Amino acid sequence: MNNKGILTILSGFSGVGKGTIVKEIMAKYDNYALSVSATTRSPRPGEEDGTSYFFKSKEEFEEMINDNKLLEYANYVGNYYGTPREYVENKLNEGKDVILEIEIQGARQVKKLMPEAISVFVMPPDAKTLKDRLIGRGTESLEVINKRLSRAVTESEGIEEYDFILVNDDLSESVERLNSIIMSSHNHSYRNKEFIDSIREDVSVFSEGE
């Protein structure tokens, strides 16, 4: 069987609980690795290079773009953010299942370069719950919350592009469902072509009486 890890693209509405799900699944299971992004913004207190982000200069980041070393990238408020290809591929080759928490625009870029990746869109049980969660965080003004909800309208137009949807109603159940999705994906036939060919060849030999 193929022991290479699986890349899982995780997207969802702002405030739906993606980060919490990722934190819980990383704490519960040891087979996961979280993709570490590269950025040109300055480190914040407590952030470490290679753990929180790969901190790069603008010149270094643009060199990575030119050398096709990023699975995706974007520019937000004057700073670059992107996903280093080498880090992800190394973890996958180690057998780790890599989770990449990213917005839909970046997800589309990654899918073009790595079509074998699976994609999961996290959804609330209903729109009111999403608004209540955003308000309940108490970290943003009502104006910012309304902007996030308006953005959700645009984000919702791409949900059908994802392989799976994950309704985050109960956190522990959501973690288990996400783990089940990823584990079952290891058994997809297209991920195990060498194993299938090996069995097919052996069966053919047996059928010839050898």
Side-chain angles (χ1 to χ4, degrees), residues 23-46:
K23 182 180 179 181
E24 289 296 316
I25 201 171
M26 293 287 292
K28 187 168 185 178
Y29 299 99
D30 60 6
N31 57 297
Y32 290 105
L34 184 62
S35 175
V36 179
S37 298
T39 183
T40 57
R41 76 160 172 78
S42 299
R44 294 170 182 162

Side-chain angles (χ1 to χ4, degrees), residues 63-102:
E63 185 175 340
M64 293 177 73
I65 295 173
N66 293 332
D67 292 343
N68 295 316
K69 292 184 176 180
L70 295 168
L71 291 175
E72 58 80 33
Y73 70 93
N75 191 304
Y76 295 106
V77 198
N79 284 308
Y80 283 118
Y81 294 83
T83 303
R85 180 198 291 263
E86 184 178 11
Y87 179 85
V88 170
E89 291 182 341
N90 285 345
K91 290 298 181 182
L92 293 175
N93 289 330
E94 290 172 9
K96 291 287 188 179
D97 292 319
V98 179
I99 297 177
L100 173 57
E101 185 184 337
I102 199 169

Side-chain angles (χ1 to χ4, degrees), residues 7-9 111 114-121 158-166 181 185 188 190-191:
L7 175 61
T8 299
I9 300 166
K111 265 292 197 177
M114 300 185 72
E116 71 278 11
I118 63 172
S119 55
V120 181
F121 196 94
I159 295 175
E160 290 85 354
E161 298 175 31
Y162 286 75
D163 300 315
F164 303 93
I165 62 168
L166 176 64
I181 288 170
S185 295
H188 279 313
Y190 70 86
R191 295 187 191 277

Side-chain angles (χ1 to χ4, degrees), residues 47-186:
E47 291 183 335
E48 296 181 5
D49 184 53
T51 302
S52 305
Y53 286 93
F54 294 109
F55 293 101
K56 304 290 183 181
S57 67
K58 182 180 179 182
E59 292 72 22
E60 288 174 327
F61 198 102
E62 290 179 344
E63 185 175 340
M64 293 177 73
I65 295 173
N66 293 332
D67 292 343
N68 295 316
K69 292 184 176 180
L70 295 168
L71 291 175
E72 58 80 33
Y73 70 93
N75 191 304
Y76 295 106
V77 198
N79 284 308
Y80 283 118
Y81 294 83
T83 303
R85 180 198 291 263
E86 184 178 11
Y87 179 85
V88 170
E89 291 182 341
N90 285 345
K91 290 298 181 182
L92 293 175
N93 289 330
E94 290 172 9
K96 291 287 188 179
D97 292 319
V98 179
I99 297 177
L100 173 57
E101 185 184 337
I102 199 169
E103 296 182 351
I104 189 168
Q105 293 84 358
R108 288 167 174 158
Q109 293 181 50
V110 175
K111 265 292 197 177
K112 285 183 179 179
L113 292 174
M114 300 185 72
E116 71 278 11
I118 63 172
S119 55
V120 181
F121 196 94
V122 184
M123 301 180 69
D126 52 65
K128 184 179 183 300
T129 299
L130 180 64
K131 185 173 183 178
D132 290 344
R133 287 177 183 174
L134 286 169
I135 294 173
R137 293 196 301 191
T139 57
E140 296 165 334
S141 67
L142 187 59
E143 180 183 0
V144 172
I145 290 172
N146 286 331
K147 285 182 179 179
R148 290 190 182 277
L149 291 171
S150 296
R151 186 177 181 181
V153 175
T154 303
E155 292 172 331
S156 69
E157 294 175 358
I159 295 175
E160 290 85 354
E161 298 175 31
Y162 286 75
D163 300 315
F164 303 93
I165 62 168
L166 176 64
V167 177
N168 184 23
D169 193 359
D170 178 89
L171 177 59
S172 60
E173 290 182 6
S174 296
V175 169
E176 289 307 309
R177 286 198 298 270
L178 179 58
N179 181 63
S180 295
I181 288 170
I182 297 171
M183 290 300 100
S184 64
S185 295
H186 277 277

